[in-house]
Every structure is written in structure tokens, then in C-alpha cells.
């Protein structure tokens, strides 16, 4: 059996879909369905069972085994980057993940977990090493601290443990995330509503809409997770991005171009630049770009989608019949 925590969430539900595509349905999904909309992410999935995250943790802490577990994909987390309730963030993201690690290591069960590129703060270097890690908020700190916890233990662990530092992920099954959904998701809604997009004016030396992020389609994220499942000898902390920073303007153009093709209207769409929010000043990543050296050295050689390809693929999914 596979366990996917956060399995009704964005990346978790896509991992479930990826497992289903391999013919695997013996899956225990763990999540918090206080927001019942998330169940829609699983409505077309095949799973064996579901457990609430608190009930699951209680059983883990009692040492229950759940049978023969092939691997744990730990995607469950509080991912609201603007949340400043540090007690909640550390309990959900740090303490829970420590408990999961200990449980998996004791059973020699592969443990593949979600870290975050947020640990790097403002950069400018995005390489998996302590000297480049400068978290700017408590979400990033919670992810960073667990990575540090793992590093201190890694030499004594003899089963697979892999932490994945996701960059800016976008794609299907993120609609429940609200304000935390990807820029591609919000752009699609803006184009539907008004035919125009709103991007931030310049910041940190970048021109309007020219802030650059490493945008990665969720299908590529799933591919890395499943590659690790196939390669249990690989452990470590790895960046998961495309390795190529692209601007918010690039994402906007990709979305507008898709709409123009669908509508047969080459004049559709436009971009308006709005003032940069005061509350994000000093806490905003104006540039991210994954250094993929460690992931490539570990053996993952699949190419990643660029923004034009990935956004078109995503909008095709959003507008499917």
C-alpha cells in the first residue's frame, strides 16, 4: 500500500492520479477535509481508504503499522505563506513531519516529503546548502527547520528519505487553494472575468511584470516523485523546478495566447500593472531559479515543460469538456 498525506490537496491529489495511471489504487489518503471542496480532487481517483490527518498521526504515534507500506508521500502541510501563526505552522509542518520521519525510518519505509523553495528567501542562489537558506516567513522557516533536522540524522538512516524543494508549482486540482493558488490559475480567472490581467509593477530592480520565478507544472513534480519511488537508493534534499526562471509577463503572454487561439481573436487580452503591495516588501521572492545539479546528478534526466507549454496544457485541462 502507498500512503499519500495531503492526498486531497493540490500536489498530493496529482500524485494519487500518477499512481492510478500506473494501475496502483491500493492507496491510503490522509488529509483534513474541513474544507470539503478538496474531496473533488479525488472524485475521479481510485483509493483504498481515507483517514483524517489527526487520527492518522495518533495511530502513527501509537506505532501502528497499517500493513505492508511500500512508500509514504508526505505532502500534507499548512502551505499558506502569509500565515504568521507560528505555533500552528510548526505543529503542522515541523512536528508532524518529524513524527512521520521517525515512523518511516523505524520501518525502513521510503519517505518522500514536500519541502519548499521558500527556504531560500530572496536568494539569489538556489542550491541545496545551508549558506543559501534564509527563510523570510514562518512557513519557510518550518520547512527549513525540518530539512535541518533531517540533515543532522541522515548518516544514521538506511532507508530512502527524499525532500523535494518545490518551486512555483501550477496545474490541475489547485482550485481549492484560493489566494494561494498559482498565478496561472488566477490569470485564467481574470481573463474569464475581464479579458485583462493584473501584474505587479516593478520591484527589487525588476521592471513591471518582469519579476522572475521558476514555474513548474505539477505533472513534472509528480514525475520526480514517481522517479524516486522507482529509485529507492536515492536519498537527499533536491530542488524541483525547471532550472529556468521566467517572468510573470511570460506566464501572462502564455495565457493570453491560449485564449487568442481558442477565440480566433488576435487582439483579445491585455495587461495592467498595479502598485506593489506594502505588506510584501522585503518578504517577496522577485527571482527564483532552481539549481538542478543535485537532482540531475542523482539520475533524473527528464526535461521539464516551459511556461508556454505548461500553461497551455493547464488551460486545456481547465476547459476540458
Amino acid at each position: 500500500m502507498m500512503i499519500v498525506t495531503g492526498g486531497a490537496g493540490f500536489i498530493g491529489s496529482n500524485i494519487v492520479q500518477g499512481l492510478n495511471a500506473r494501475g496502483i489504487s491500493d492507496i491510503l489518503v490522509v488529509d483534513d477535509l474541513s474544507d470539503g471542496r478538496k474531496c473533488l480532487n479525488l472524485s475521479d481517483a481510485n483509493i483504498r481508504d481515507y483517514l483524517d490527518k489527526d487520527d492518522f498521526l495518533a495511530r502513527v504515534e501509537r506505532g501502528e503499522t497499517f500493513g505492508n507500506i511500500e512508500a509514504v508521500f508526505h505532502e500534507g502541510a499548512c502551505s499558506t505563506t502569509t500565515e504568521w501563526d507560528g505555533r500552528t505552522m510548526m505543529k503542522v509542518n515541523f512536528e508532524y513531519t518529524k513524527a512521520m520521519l521517525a515512523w518511516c525510518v523505524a520501518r525502513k519505509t521510503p519517505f518522500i516529503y514536500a519541502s519548499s523553495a521558500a527556504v531560500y528567501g530572496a536568494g539569489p542562489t538556489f542550491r541545496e546548502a545551508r549558506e543559501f537558506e534564509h527563510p523570510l516567513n514562518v512557513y519557510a522557516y518550518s520547512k527549513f527547520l525540518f530539512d535541518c533536522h533531517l540533515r543532522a540524522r541522515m548518516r544514521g538512516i538506511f532507508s530512502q528519505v527524499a525532500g523535494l524543494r518545490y518551486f512555483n508549482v501550477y496545474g490541475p486540482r489547485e482550485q481549492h487553494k484560493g489566494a494561494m493558488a498559482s498565478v496561472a490559475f488566477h490569470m485564467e480567472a481574470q481573463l474569464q472575468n475581464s479579458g485583462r490581467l493584473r501584474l505587479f509593477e516593478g520591484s527589487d530592480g525588476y521592471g513591471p511584470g518582469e519579476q522572475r520565478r521558476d514555474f513548474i507544472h505539477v505533472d513534472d513534480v509528480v514525475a520526480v516523485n514517481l522517479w524516486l519511488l522507482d529509485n529507492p537508493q536515492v536519498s537527499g534534499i533536491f530542488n524541483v523546478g525547471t532550472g529556468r526562471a521566467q517572468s510573470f509577463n511570460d506566464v501572462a503572454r502564455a495565457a493570453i495566447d491560449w485564449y487568442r487561439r481558442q477565440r480566433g481573436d488576435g487582439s483579445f487580452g491585455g495587461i495592467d500593472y498595479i502598485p506593489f503591495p506594502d505588506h510584501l516588501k522585503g518578504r517577496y521572492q522577485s527571482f527564483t531559479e532552481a539549481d538542478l545539479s543535485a537532482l540531475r546528478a542523482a539520475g533524473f534526466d527528464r526535461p521539464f515543460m516551459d511556461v508556454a507549454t505548461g500553461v497551455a496544457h493547464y488551460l486545456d485541462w481547465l476547459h476540458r469538456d
Side-chain angles (χ1 to χ4, degrees):
M1 183 168 67
M2 305 287 183
I3 295 177
V4 183
T5 73
F10 173 31
I11 295 175
S13 64
N14 279 285
I15 289 174
V16 171
Q17 292 289 330
L19 292 169
N20 281 178
R22 291 184 167 200
I24 299 170
S25 59
D26 191 9
I27 303 167
L28 169 61
V29 165
V30 177
D31 213 310
D32 175 357
L33 286 181
S34 297
D35 179 356
R37 295 173 299 175
K38 292 189 341 186
C39 75
L40 300 178
N41 287 333
L42 295 172
S43 62
D44 58 346
N46 296 310
I47 66 172
R48 173 179 171 182
D49 205 355
Y50 170 86
L51 271 176
D52 179 82
K53 72 178 183 67
D54 293 336
D55 295 337
F56 176 68
L57 179 60
R59 292 174 65 174
V60 163
E61 291 177 335
R62 289 197 298 268
E64 295 190 26
T65 63
F66 299 93
N68 182 28
I69 306 302
E70 186 174 347
V72 172
F73 296 92
H74 181 49
E75 304 298 316
C78 177
S79 58
T80 304
T81 58
T82 54
E83 174 62 66
W84 283 100
D85 181 347
R87 292 187 69 188
T88 297
M89 193 69 76
M90 296 304 288
K91 180 179 179 181
V92 173
N93 290 3
F94 181 59
E95 296 296 341
Y96 201 119
T97 310
K98 284 202 301 181
M100 289 300 306
L101 173 67
W103 186 81
C104 287
V105 168
R107 289 158 182 77
K108 295 184 171 57
T109 299
F111 181 60
I112 302 166
Y113 73 92
S115 184
S116 172
V119 302
Y120 298 114
T125 302
F126 300 87
R127 189 183 314 141
E128 305 92 329
R130 174 65 186 92
E131 60 265 33
F132 305 121
E133 298 161 0
H134 305 285
L136 296 176
N137 55 43
V138 70
Y139 164 75
Y141 183 74
S142 69
K143 293 293 190 177
F144 158 77
L145 197 62
F146 180 77
D147 287 350
C148 291
H149 172 77
L150 174 63
R151 282 171 174 153
R153 295 198 58 194
M154 190 66 90
R155 289 187 179 180
I157 296 174
F158 302 102
S159 55
Q160 183 183 44
V161 180
L164 301 182
R165 289 183 170 174
Y166 300 140
F167 279 66
N168 282 76
V169 187
Y170 64 94
R173 298 181 173 84
E174 61 169 326
Q175 65 282 345
H176 64 282
K177 292 173 67 66
M180 291 295 107
S182 73
V183 64
F185 178 82
H186 289 296
M187 284 181 179
E188 197 279 335
Q190 290 173 23
L191 287 171
Q192 284 269 38
N193 292 333
S194 68
R196 297 193 65 82
L197 298 177
R198 297 184 302 275
L199 299 181
F200 290 151
E201 292 178 345
S203 63
D204 298 329
Y206 292 89
E210 285 300 308
Q211 299 92 340
R212 306 175 72 80
R213 296 274 185 89
D214 194 329
F215 298 101
I216 181 168
H217 193 284
V218 70
D219 286 358
D220 287 333
V221 167
V222 171
V224 175
N225 276 273
L226 296 183
W227 178 81
L228 284 163
L229 177 66
D230 295 337
N231 291 274
Q233 76 282 0
V234 177
S235 290
I237 296 171
F238 302 101
N239 287 334
V240 179
T242 66
R244 177 189 178 193
Q246 293 191 254
S247 72
F248 285 83
N249 283 326
D250 287 340
V251 183
R253 283 189 288 266
I256 290 171
D257 286 348
W258 185 91
Y259 266 90
R260 288 177 175 176
R261 290 193 298 271
Q262 297 300 311
R263 296 165 66 100
D265 179 359
S267 64
F268 175 82
I271 304 173
D272 300 316
Y273 298 100
I274 63 175
F276 193 86
D278 287 338
H279 73 277
L280 291 179
K281 291 178 180 177
R283 300 191 180 99
Y284 188 77
Q285 289 179 308
S286 291
F287 174 82
T288 66
E289 185 173 79
D291 182 327
L292 296 181
S293 301
L295 184 64
R296 295 307 192 194
F300 185 85
D301 58 4
R302 169 177 163 161
F304 295 108
M305 284 182 266
D306 62 15
V307 157
T309 304
V311 169
H313 188 48
Y314 184 20
L315 294 183
D316 286 341
W317 185 87
L318 285 172
H319 291 266
R320 69 198 186 283
D321 292 331

